Amino acid sequence: QVEVVESGGAQVGPGGSLKLTCSLSGDRRQRECMGWFRQEPGKSREGIASIYPGGRSTVFADSVKGRFTISVANDRTLMYIEMRDLRPEDTAMYYCSTGPHSMNCPVLEDPRYKNWGQGTSVTASS
């Protein structure tokens, strides 16, 4: 069982910045894929960023490309997403997840992402 805990969500004004943390523990594989996702009320979950920790390869959704940055600690217990130039449409519950490298990491959407946290709320408004 992989334990996933997201933290760092807050209310930030438009144009502001925020850094979220994903804490990972438990039984984990050396080769795994990691990703950040978000979900607005009434909408489907959206993959926004992914990283393969082994090679630090990354991919971003068009909606956040150029504004968000994903990173992971060397021991793979912490993953981050740095968000800047936040917009009202960035308001959502943010989740992180892990899955096997067999999903061809990095990848934004894949049903093999199986280890989920409970999310942390981000609100970008004045």
Side-chain angles (χ1 to χ4, degrees), residues 50-98:
S50 178
I51 185 169
Y52 172 54
R56 299 296 192 271
S57 300
T58 62
V59 65
F60 297 89
D62 289 342
S63 57
V64 306
K65 192 175 300 181
R67 299 188 296 120
F68 290 12
T69 301
I70 188 172
S71 61
V72 61
N74 287 336
D75 64 3
R76 302 180 300 113
T77 62
L78 296 172
M79 180 176 63
Y80 309 96
I81 187 159
E82 295 184 66
M83 306 179 292
R84 62 182 184 274
D85 191 25
L86 284 164
R87 305 162 180 171
E89 55 264 39
D90 294 319
T91 296
M93 186 71 72
Y94 283 72
Y95 302 88
C96 60
S97 185
T98 68

